[in-house]
């Protein structure tokens, strides 16, 4: 199997771990460690019988062979995700208006519009200055007040002075790649620059690669927004949210002097609360309780996802080689 075939295989299999078939545009954007254009991806696929035995391309989607059911499942989840986001739109706008929030982004399954029936709302937040504990506690209090505490997970909150992430692996890179900012999109370039490992795993996700992708995809098929980008583009403006921006500024001014004391108090008491529950953490190695870096992946699927990914890729390659062997023998006999 060539390096280009392997990149397509790995990318499709990784997405399938989350029951998510990929469009050509998405496959290009999430192509692992390969810089093929959409046209090149199609050429490699059409010219490789081995790749076609591993990956199917049907109805505009790429998915593992025999998993055509993923297309209908994706559509069901997209409809569910849109309803979910519309239902909680007002709450999201309030969360974005909390003081010291510089970037608030959808992450996880909801960022793909791939929400399962019991899915929740994962948020990735970057704060203005070292206010990660203040913002995290504010999110908890607001969602509790709105009776939405159980569905909102602000499990990664960083200060804008600490943008570098750990661990620098495929799982983390994929999470970063699919963040969908509600506010603060202008910070993404600096965020990616602070995490160059993302471009190593996903070279097409750089700004230059993204421009090439859009131009090439438009030539091949024509492109429409996918995932949460489509939802965000359709998201109507609300007049009352303009007032929230002013309110946010006023709250930040009011907290300027007592801010350090508030931050210290939030860190002291919430960190104490978290450590009390540490015995229930399934992945304590994925928890960080720093002054400028709060990571609460207490039930992380990172290790299991990466292990399943490696096993699935190895199995697919073995199967393709096994199926190709009789054809190779028949060709030599001729």
């Amino acid at each position: 199997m060539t390096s280009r075939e392997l990149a397509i295989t790995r990318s499709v299999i990784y997405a399938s771990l989350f029951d998510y078939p990929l469009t050509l545009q998405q496959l290009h954007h999430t192509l692992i460690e390969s810089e093929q254009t959409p046209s090149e991806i199609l050429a490699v696929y059409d010219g490789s019988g081995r790749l076609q035995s591993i990956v199917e391309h049907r109805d505009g989607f790429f998915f593992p062979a025999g998993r055509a059911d993923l297309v209908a499942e994706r559509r069901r989840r997209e409809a569910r995700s849109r309803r979910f986001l519309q239902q909680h739109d007002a709450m999201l706008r309030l969360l974005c208006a909390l003081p010291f929030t510089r970037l608030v982004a959808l992450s996880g399954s909801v960022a793909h519009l791939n929400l399962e029936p019991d899915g929740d709302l994962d948020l990735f937040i970057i704060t203005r200055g070292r206010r990660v504990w203040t913002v995290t506690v504010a999110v908890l209090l607001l969602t509790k007040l709105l009776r939405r505490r159980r569905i909102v997970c602000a499990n990664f909150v960083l200060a804008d002075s600490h943008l570098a992430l750990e661990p620098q692996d495929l799982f983390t890179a994929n999470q970063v790649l699919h963040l969908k900012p509600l506010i603060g999109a202008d910070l993404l370039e600096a965020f990616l620059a602070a995490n160059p490992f993302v471009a190593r795993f996903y070279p097409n996700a750089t700004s230059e690669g993204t421009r090439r992708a859009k131009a090439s995809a438009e030539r091949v098929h024509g492109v429409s927004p996918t995932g949460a980008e489509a939802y965000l583009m359709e998201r109507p403006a609300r007049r009352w949210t303009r007032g929230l921006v002013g309110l946010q500024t006023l709250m930040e001014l009011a907290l300027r002097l007592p801010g350090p004391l508030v931050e210290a108090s939030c860190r002291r008491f919430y960190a104490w609360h978290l450590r009390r529950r540490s015995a229930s953490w399934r992945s304590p190695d994925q928890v960080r309780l720093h002054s400028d870096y709060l990571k609460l992946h207490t039930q992380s699927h990172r290790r299991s996802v990466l292990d399943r990914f490696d096993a699935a890729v190895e199995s697919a390659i073995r199967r393709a080689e096994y199926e190709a062997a009789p054809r190779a023998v028949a060709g030599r006999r001729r």
Side-chain angles (χ1 to χ4, degrees), residues 43-308:
V44 170
Y45 181 82
D46 292 339
S48 173
R50 180 173 297 180
L51 182 56
Q52 291 173 27
S53 70
I54 298 174
V55 173
E56 287 187 45
H57 181 208
R58 191 191 311 172
D59 299 327
F61 294 98
F62 292 85
F63 47 85
R67 293 302 313 277
D69 60 295
L70 293 183
V71 175
E73 180 61 21
R74 169 172 168 159
R75 289 172 177 149
R76 282 192 292 270
R77 293 188 181 187
E78 283 184 351
R80 179 186 301 122
S81 300
R82 288 175 182 277
R83 290 193 300 270
F84 180 86
L85 288 169
Q86 289 166 1
Q87 179 183 356
H88 301 295
D89 183 70
M91 178 190 67
L92 285 170
R93 293 175 191 269
L94 289 172
L95 288 170
C96 290
L98 288 173
F100 307 114
T101 53
R102 188 171 173 191
L103 177 146
V104 178
L106 302 176
S107 66
S109 61
V110 74
H112 298 263
L113 297 185
N114 194 39
L115 204 64
E116 297 181 73
D118 58 348
D120 49 26
L121 184 60
D122 291 324
L123 296 177
F124 182 94
I125 300 174
I126 297 178
T127 68
R128 186 175 292 105
R130 294 191 173 194
R131 308 285 187 172
V132 298
W133 293 88
T134 301
V135 169
T136 301
V137 170
V139 170
L140 293 173
L141 292 176
L142 178 59
T143 54
K144 193 172 184 65
L145 180 65
L146 297 174
R147 298 182 179 179
R148 297 290 187 274
R149 175 68 191 93
R150 291 184 179 275
I151 66 166
V152 176
C153 296
N155 52 23
F156 219 143
V157 185
L158 311 178
D160 55 9
S161 58
H162 186 159
L163 297 179
L165 300 179
E166 294 289 345
Q168 298 185 357
D169 57 15
L170 176 63
F171 184 84
T172 305
N174 189 269
Q175 286 188 314
V176 171
L177 185 66
H178 291 103
L179 292 176
K180 300 300 183 295
L182 299 169
I183 60 167
D186 58 308
L187 189 58
L188 279 182
E189 187 173 347
F191 182 52
L192 288 172
N195 294 282
F197 75 96
V198 177
R200 290 198 298 271
F201 281 106
Y202 294 110
N204 289 337
T206 62
S207 57
E208 181 182 354
T210 299
R211 287 194 296 270
R212 289 201 312 269
K214 290 180 178 178
S216 181
E218 285 169 359
R219 287 195 299 271
V220 175
H221 279 309
V223 172
S224 58
T226 57
E229 292 101 333
Y231 163 76
L232 294 174
M233 288 180 67
E234 297 163 4
R235 194 173 181 230
R238 305 287 187 196
R239 289 184 180 180
W240 58 270
T241 59
R242 298 174 188 171
L244 291 177
V245 176
L247 181 60
Q248 181 186 48
T249 302
L250 288 175
M251 287 190 291
E252 290 181 5
L253 288 172
L255 289 168
R256 178 171 293 178
L257 289 179
L261 179 60
V262 172
E263 176 71 8
S265 299
C266 289
R267 183 181 183 187
R268 178 181 177 183
F269 289 108
Y270 191 46
W272 170 77
H273 169 73
L274 290 170
R275 290 190 177 103
R276 284 179 60 212
R277 306 181 61 183
S278 61
S280 66
W281 296 349
R282 190 172 66 186
S283 50
D285 60 311
Q286 293 303 302
V287 176
R288 297 290 183 273
L289 306 178
H290 302 318
S291 62
D292 56 358
Y293 188 97
L294 183 54
K295 182 180 181 181
L296 299 175
H297 292 184
T298 59
Q299 310 295 324
S300 175
H301 300 289
R302 171 182 164 271
R303 187 68 267 159
S304 64
V305 166
L306 293 176
D307 287 345
R308 287 168 55 212

Side-chain angles (χ1 to χ4, degrees), residues 34-46:
S34 182
E35 294 186 88
Q36 302 170 63
T37 66
S39 298
E40 289 170 338
I41 291 172
L42 288 177
V44 170
Y45 181 82
D46 292 339

